[in-house]
């Protein structure tokens, strides 16, 4: 392991060259499972790069400018406690959720439950085989929720891929009972228009509301017709989750014509995604607020009535943002960090050729009061370490680190690793810690790296697409106060009030 004993910016030359209700989920144990992982659900994992880019990567490793293949490097205030490789679920690792002493790890083939009571040595409690990308995951009480955004033959955990043009195909939300963590039970399925790429919980005492984000309608898709300028809202009664059902479909981008409203994308705005729904939504229930990252638009909306959210403000960045991917509020709810997933997470964009403003975070202040609040752009943040052209790298999922009076977050950057950065000054964000691995490959671009990196009860947990589950310990006077903040449950897209 190599330790980088300072936080000097590493600027490199790289990149300047060319189920049915009541179904019991199949638990993977020592016995064979009833279904098999379906590689058809996975993303493209390999792309050719130029001979020059391969030579550049090799030279940068030889010169010590970037870590060697699979080599781990980190700032001296980060300690890598452990890595748990993927086991029975070989698919792409995705999002994370937490409850008590457990971490829940999404995977395109299902989900895995870890006991993290000893963060240095997590143990596997259960592995559930239930293919259906992305298997975006969250938990609330005795319920676990999974998003399915790939066309399946049915809603069961034994389903197979099926063309989206077939009316019988299924995509949507799955609900599991996790009252027994070792034996999750599949209890409900709700089909949603255009599937469920991600979802966000708005928990109440008796019910859990789910905001389902999905996009890319097509006239040839029977269950995903244009325009698709809203979100599905599902109501799940906690005591009778089998009665889960859609209760509304609020239109967030009203407009004339077959395509509705929102950013028109190319050719009007070259290189920008057309808005046909939302990719991800973060809610701040304590403030009745939500922020939506919706392809070509960023929005701020009120969730005082959770079944009927109301848009307050809408912004676009047609110069540097290609795809509005996710959002994070600061604790005071006077800022939002939006991420731009340039290249869809499968491209090498953390290089000099791409520059510091694309594939980055956009920091927006929230000014004004009530329904007159506005999102005002302040600056961009991007990791200051260029990556090889064989490394997919772009801004991705992160969470606040709860330090009173400061705005600090930890964030995943795929093969760019994990970055801890301070945006207390919205106009001058700066990195204060990092962790990364060298390229998975120096000959081709293979998809990998940290999908999600979240702070939970004193530790950073990262779900690496290819390498598995990492646990990091951050020791820094600027973040140490966060260790006193303890949560019983954390779904990052449902931001808690850490200091209430």
């Amino acid at each position: 392991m190599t330790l980088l004993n300072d936080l000097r910016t590493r600027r490199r030359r790289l990149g300047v060259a060319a189920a049915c209700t009541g179904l019991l989920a199949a638990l993977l144990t020592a016995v064979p499972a009833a279904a098999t992982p379906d590689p058809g659900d996975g993303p493209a994992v390999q792309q050719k790069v130029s001979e020059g880019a391969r030579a550049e990567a090799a030279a940068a490793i030889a010169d010590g400018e970037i870590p060697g293949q699979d080599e781990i490097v980190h700032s001296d205030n980060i300690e890598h406690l452990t890595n748990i490789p993927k086991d029975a679920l070989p698919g792409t690792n995705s999002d994370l959720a937490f409850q008590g002493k457990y971490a829940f790890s999404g995977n395109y083939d299902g989900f895995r439950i870890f006991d993290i009571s000893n963060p240095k040595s997590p143990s596997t409690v259960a592995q559930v085989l239930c293919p259906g990308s992305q298997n975006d995951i969250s938990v609330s009480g005795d319920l676990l929720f999974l998003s399915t955004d790939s066309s399946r033959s049915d809603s069961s955990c034994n389903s197979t891929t099926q063309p989206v043009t077939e009316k019988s195909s299924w995509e949507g939300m799955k609900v599991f009972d996790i009252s027994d963590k070792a034996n999750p039970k599949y209890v409900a399925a709700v089909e949603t228009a255009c599937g469920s790429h991600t979802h966000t919980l708005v928990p109440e005492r008796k019910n859990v509301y789910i905001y389902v984000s999905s996009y890319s309608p097509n006239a040839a898709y029977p269950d995903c017709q244009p325009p698709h300028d809203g979100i599905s809202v599902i109501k799940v009664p906690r005591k009778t989750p089998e009665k889960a059902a859609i209760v509304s479909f609020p239109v967030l981008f009203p407009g004339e014509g077959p395509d509705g409203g929102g950013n028109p994308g190319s050719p009007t705005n070259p290189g920008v995604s057309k808005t046909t729904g939302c990719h991800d939504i973060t809610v701040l229930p304590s403030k009745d607020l939500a922020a939506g990252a919706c392809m070509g638009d960023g929005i701020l909306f009120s969730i005082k009535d959770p079944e009927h959210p109301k848009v307050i403000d809408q912004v676009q960045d047609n110069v540097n943002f290609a795809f509005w991917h996710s959002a994070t509020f600061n604790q005071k709810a006077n800022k939002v960090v939006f991420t731009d997933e340039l290249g869809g997470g499968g491209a090498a964009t953390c290089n000099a050729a791409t520059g510091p403003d694309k594939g980055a975070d956009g920091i927006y202040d929230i000014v004004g009061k009530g329904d007159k609040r506005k999102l005002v752009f302040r600056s961009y943040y991007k990791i200051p370490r260029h990556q090889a052209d064989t490394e997919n790298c772009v801004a991705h999922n992160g969470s606040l680190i709860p330090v009173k009076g400061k705005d600090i977050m930890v964030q995943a950057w795929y093969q760019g690793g994990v970055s801890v950065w301070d945006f207390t000054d919205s106009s001058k964000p700066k990195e204060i810690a990092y962790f990364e691995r060298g390229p998975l490959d120096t000959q081709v671009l293979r998809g990998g790296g940290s999908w999600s990196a979240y702070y939970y009860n004193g530790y950073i947990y990262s779900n690496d697409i290819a390498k598995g589950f990492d646990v990091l310990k951050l020791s820094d006077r600027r973040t140490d106060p966060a260790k006193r903040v303890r949560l019983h449950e954390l779904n990052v897209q449902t931001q808690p009030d850490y200091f209430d």
Side-chain angles (χ1 to χ4, degrees):
M1 178 180 291
T2 301
L3 293 180
L4 302 187
N5 292 316
D6 59 60
L7 287 172
R8 289 176 298 177
T9 300
R10 258 164 45 211
R11 294 287 185 188
R12 305 189 186 115
R13 65 177 184 271
L14 292 169
V16 296
C20 296
T21 299
L23 177 68
L24 177 64
L27 289 178
L28 296 179
T29 58
V31 298
T36 56
D38 191 337
D41 285 337
V45 294
Q46 187 167 301
Q47 300 175 32
K48 291 182 179 179
V49 297
S50 69
E51 184 176 342
R54 294 196 299 270
E56 220 175 42
I61 291 173
D63 292 343
E65 293 182 352
I66 66 173
Q69 188 168 341
D70 289 335
E71 179 186 5
I72 291 175
V73 298
H74 52 78
S75 53
D76 60 1
N77 53 357
I78 289 274
E79 180 183 357
H80 186 210
L81 297 183
T82 191
N83 169 263
I84 309 297
K86 289 191 286 188
D87 186 20
L89 303 175
T92 296
N93 273 342
S94 56
D95 213 359
L96 293 168
F98 304 90
Q99 186 182 85
K101 66 177 185 178
Y102 299 101
F104 303 82
S105 166
N107 179 286
Y108 277 41
D109 289 326
F111 64 93
R112 187 174 182 179
I113 302 177
F114 291 100
D115 182 332
I116 55 171
S117 53
N118 179 1
K120 292 183 178 180
S121 184
S123 59
T124 299
V125 177
Q127 298 188 68
V128 177
L129 179 64
C130 197
S133 63
Q134 299 181 137
N135 278 335
D136 190 55
I137 193 167
S138 60
V139 294
S140 183
D142 288 336
L143 300 177
L144 179 147
F145 306 90
L146 281 184
S147 285
T148 299
D149 193 33
S150 58
S151 185
R152 310 296 301 179
S153 56
D154 55 51
S155 62
S156 76
C157 285
N158 295 311
S159 67
T160 58
T161 56
Q162 182 168 290
V164 69
T165 52
E166 294 188 22
K167 176 62 178 173
S168 64
S169 295
W170 186 90
E171 300 178 67
M173 288 299 308
K174 296 170 181 171
V175 184
F176 290 78
D177 182 326
I178 54 167
S179 52
D180 180 354
K181 301 295 187 295
N183 294 284
K185 295 181 179 180
Y186 187 4
V187 296
V190 180
E191 187 171 15
T192 54
C194 301
S196 175
H197 193 69
T198 66
H199 68 270
T200 304
L201 303 186
V202 185
E204 294 187 335
R205 182 171 297 179
K206 294 182 179 180
N207 305 296
V208 179
Y209 287 97
I210 307 173
Y211 290 170
V212 176
S213 295
S214 57
Y215 52 92
S216 296
N218 189 301
Y221 302 163
D223 298 318
C224 185
Q225 293 284 298
H228 180 73
D229 283 348
I231 58 174
S232 298
V233 179
I234 298 173
K235 183 178 180 179
V236 185
R238 290 188 184 276
K239 292 185 177 180
T240 55
E242 66 277 4
K243 294 181 180 179
I246 295 172
V247 292
S248 67
F249 187 87
V251 174
L252 303 177
F253 302 97
E256 301 283 334
D259 295 327
N263 199 317
S266 298
T268 303
N269 297 316
V272 177
S273 294
K274 177 181 177 180
T275 298
T276 59
C278 289
H279 178 276
D280 207 350
I281 292 169
T282 293
V283 297
L284 192 57
S286 64
K287 300 289 194 296
D288 289 328
L289 275 181
C294 303
M295 305 180 73
D297 295 85
I299 60 173
L300 182 70
F301 53 104
S302 167
I303 58 169
K304 287 182 180 179
D305 179 352
E307 292 189 20
H308 303 95
K310 175 185 177 182
V311 174
I312 296 173
D313 195 25
Q314 175 182 349
V315 291
Q316 297 177 359
D317 179 346
N318 295 318
V319 176
N320 287 314
F321 261 49
F323 188 91
W324 295 67
H325 175 276
S326 53
T328 303
F329 286 101
N330 69 336
Q331 181 60 40
K332 291 183 179 179
N334 59 8
K335 298 177 189 177
V336 182
V337 175
F338 288 103
T339 66
D340 172 26
E341 194 183 42
L342 174 68
T349 69
C350 296
N351 50 26
T354 304
D357 297 339
K358 297 179 183 293
D361 296 315
I363 304 166
Y364 286 75
D365 283 353
I366 301 173
V367 299
K369 296 181 179 180
D371 290 350
K372 294 184 178 181
R373 283 172 285 190
K374 297 292 183 182
L375 293 164
V376 179
F377 173 77
R378 294 304 185 202
S379 67
Y380 298 106
Y381 170 76
K382 193 170 184 178
I383 56 172
R385 298 172 308 286
H386 291 159
Q387 307 296 307
D389 280 349
T390 60
E391 295 179 276
N392 61 309
C393 176
V394 75
H396 214 237
N397 292 0
S399 76
L400 286 185
I401 297 179
V403 179
K404 188 171 289 189
K406 297 289 185 180
D407 298 325
I408 301 174
M409 70 179 289
V410 58
Q411 188 175 6
W413 288 79
Y414 290 116
Q415 287 195 68
V418 175
S419 176
V420 179
W421 60 288
D422 187 324
F423 62 103
T424 305
D425 183 340
S426 302
S427 299
K428 296 180 180 179
K430 59 183 179 180
E431 184 173 79
I432 61 175
Y434 67 90
F435 167 90
E436 69 168 294
R437 290 181 169 90
L440 280 171
D441 201 307
T442 59
Q443 301 299 304
V444 297
L445 193 159
R446 291 174 52 203
S450 180
W451 178 292
S452 299
Y454 299 146
Y455 185 92
Y456 177 69
N457 290 353
Y459 298 88
I460 293 170
Y461 298 90
S462 168
N463 219 17
D464 189 289
I465 290 170
K467 295 296 184 180
F469 184 70
D470 288 302
V471 185
L472 310 176
K473 184 178 180 180
L474 174 64
S475 298
D476 189 290
R477 60 177 176 78
R478 293 164 291 191
T479 59
D480 284 346
K483 295 177 182 178
R484 296 192 291 268
V485 178
R486 311 297 292 183
L487 299 177
H488 173 66
E489 195 168 88
L490 177 63
N491 301 292
V492 168
Q493 287 73 33
T494 305
Q495 282 191 220
D497 185 338
Y498 289 99
F499 304 110
D500 185 6

